[in-house]
Amino acid sequence: MDRVALRGLRARGHHGVFPEEREKGQVFVVDLVLGLDTRPAAAADDLTLTVHYGVVAEEVVAEIQGEPVELIETLAERIAERCLRHEPVREVEVVVHKPDAPITVPFDDVTITITRSRP
């Protein structure tokens, strides 16, 4: 399987368990790896035979900015489901970063990584 990766997609969302996270919001960062067969698109030099990563990027940002959820696990799942709606995509790895998580000790990042595929 071939891979198309998008790294560092950023948007402000209002996800989190605590009321202040929902009120103020924070930046979330998403990395994606889309698994698909790019040979048909490459042979025909045809965008319609592959995944349009610009459209996927816009959809991921819409999920981040969309309806708030408590857990980044839920956000990651929604993003994965959205990516798998694109016919050529057979598998997706989603990493959601929450660099401003409300943790009381010094840290660099909090992430959840999930991999989902078509049944």
Side-chain angles (χ1 to χ4, degrees):
M1 197 170 323
D2 304 319
R3 305 273 183 233
V4 173
L6 290 92
R7 307 252 188 240
L9 298 169
R10 299 176 189 281
R12 188 167 194 80
H14 293 266
H15 312 289
V17 174
F18 300 112
E20 58 271 13
E21 292 180 287
R22 296 230 179 201
E23 292 167 16
K24 294 179 185 175
Q26 60 192 291
V27 172
F28 292 83
V29 181
V30 173
D31 302 323
L32 297 175
V33 179
L34 306 170
L36 64 152
D37 183 358
T38 63
R39 289 175 292 189
D45 198 27
D46 185 350
L47 177 62
T48 65
L49 299 176
T50 189
V51 64
H52 191 310
Y53 50 80
V55 170
V56 171
E58 291 170 358
E59 291 174 353
V60 169
V61 166
E63 287 294 337
I64 296 169
Q65 294 173 334
E67 180 184 346
V69 296
E70 290 190 356
L71 303 177
I72 59 174
E73 292 87 341
T74 306
L75 179 60
E77 191 68 38
R78 287 181 176 182
I79 291 169
E81 290 171 2
R82 189 96 174 237
C83 292
L84 289 171
R85 289 181 199 159
H86 293 268
E87 184 57 37
V89 177
R90 309 314 297 163
E91 181 179 273
V92 62
E93 179 183 273
V94 178
V95 181
V96 175
H97 301 257
K98 189 174 180 180
D100 297 320
I103 297 175
T104 60
V105 297
F107 74 102
D108 288 330
D109 199 3
V110 173
T111 66
I112 177 72
T113 302
I114 66 170
T115 303
R116 299 292 182 266
S117 57
R118 291 180 187 272

